[in-house]
Amino acid sequence: MSRDWHEDMEYCNRLDDKGQGLNSPEVLKYWLQQAAEEKKRADELGKAVEEAIEICEQMEDSDDPLELLEQVLIKLQLVASFQGRKKHTT
């Protein structure tokens, strides 16, 4: 089943019959896993950006700027998916 952040937040903010907030370990686990995946993705993208900057810094006057741009875009596209975020299920 896929999870919705807003629905989960509303659920966690509800109170039970004793006035205690509801909690669900599976909700917490799911969103912690999502955060870990996003951090990993961001770290990989950060590394690719650094490598792309290095490519740009090594450019010489004789280099073809379009070829250089193509190399940089290929490097970034290997990490960043432009197809949108995939849905996660639990």
Side-chain angles (χ1 to χ4, degrees), residues 48 51-52 55-56 59 63-79 82:
E51 291 174 4
I55 291 170
C56 293
M59 182 178 176
D63 290 337
D64 179 2
L66 292 178
E67 185 177 317
L68 180 71
L69 178 61
E70 182 180 29
Q71 289 176 22
V72 169
L73 291 175
I74 288 170
K75 175 68 67 180
L76 293 176
Q77 194 171 18
L78 291 175
V79 176
F82 297 107

Side-chain angles (χ1 to χ4, degrees), residues 3 7-8 18 25 31 40 52 54 60 67-68 89-90:
R3 303 207 63 99
E7 288 177 15
D8 283 344
K18 296 177 184 175
W31 290 111
K40 180 180 175 187
E54 286 177 19
E60 298 179 8
E67 185 177 317
L68 180 71
T89 58
T90 58

Side-chain angles (χ1 to χ4, degrees), residues 2-16:
S2 69
R3 303 207 63 99
D4 179 271
W5 172 259
H6 297 291
E7 288 177 15
D8 283 344
M9 289 304 297
E10 287 176 19
Y11 171 79
C12 290
N13 287 326
R14 290 185 200 135
L15 301 177
D16 63 14

Side-chain angles (χ1 to χ4, degrees), residues 20-58:
Q20 298 282 329
L22 299 174
N23 61 28
S24 171
E26 62 191 47
V27 170
L28 178 59
K29 179 181 173 184
Y30 174 84
W31 290 111
L32 286 173
Q33 289 172 335
Q34 295 305 301
E37 287 179 25
E38 287 300 314
K39 182 184 180 317
K40 180 180 175 187
R41 215 172 66 80
D43 290 346
E44 290 172 353
L45 183 57
K47 182 180 175 190
V49 168
E50 288 176 12
E51 291 174 4
I53 289 171
E54 286 177 19
I55 291 170
C56 293
E57 289 173 342
Q58 295 172 2

